[in-house]
Amino acid sequence: EIYGDPLQHPQKEDYWGNVNTLGPRSCYDEGKRVAESMCYCYRHQHGVEVRIARIFNTFGPRMEPNDGRVVSNFIKYALQEDPEKPIQIYGDGSQTRSFQYVSDLVQGLV
């Protein structure tokens, strides 16, 4: 959500975002942005290398089934007792998202 409500899909790394600094979730967006800014200021001031990892939609073992995230909700609906009950899809189905498995995330960070 660092991009806020992006006007570009998918977002490229040179996209600066479309953030409402006073919106109901602005503290989350702005918190991420200020953390990145502080890292780069530290790099400039102390001459050290800095890397920013924008972790997104990670899934894997030990996820809480009721955490409200897309992957857990999808799995929960897919494993329902009633096979006639459809999997619930939110929105009109045109949304796109990227997902990453937790071990892929760890490998990328290391």
Side-chain angles (χ1 to χ4, degrees):
E1 287 188 51
I2 192 164
Y3 300 111
D5 187 17
L7 303 173
Q8 180 184 107
H9 298 280
Q11 296 82 42
K12 296 179 180 175
E13 286 301 313
D14 62 352
Y15 181 66
W16 294 107
N18 180 36
V19 176
N20 174 355
T21 59
L22 302 175
R25 290 189 50 85
S26 64
C27 61
Y28 182 74
D29 304 340
E30 292 301 307
K32 285 185 166 200
R33 293 166 73 97
V34 76
E36 287 187 11
S37 180
M38 290 173 72
C39 287
Y40 278 104
C41 287
Y42 189 86
R43 177 189 77 167
H44 179 73
Q45 198 168 28
H46 297 283
V48 297
E49 286 191 34
V50 169
R51 302 284 188 267
I52 301 294
R54 291 185 177 167
I55 299 169
F56 58 91
N57 295 320
T58 305
F59 67 96
R62 294 186 289 283
M63 289 179 64
E64 292 293 329
N66 296 313
D67 67 7
R69 297 186 312 164
V70 173
V71 172
S72 352
N73 283 348
F74 186 83
I75 292 169
K76 186 171 68 175
Y77 284 113
L79 296 175
Q80 296 178 107
E81 300 265 335
D82 183 359
E84 299 298 317
K85 192 172 180 183
I87 294 174
Q88 185 170 358
I89 303 294
Y90 299 97
D92 63 7
S94 65
Q95 302 89 331
T96 60
R97 291 211 177 137
S98 297
F99 297 94
Q100 64 181 346
Y101 192 70
V102 67
S103 62
D104 294 331
L105 167 65
V106 171
Q107 185 177 10
L109 291 173
V110 175

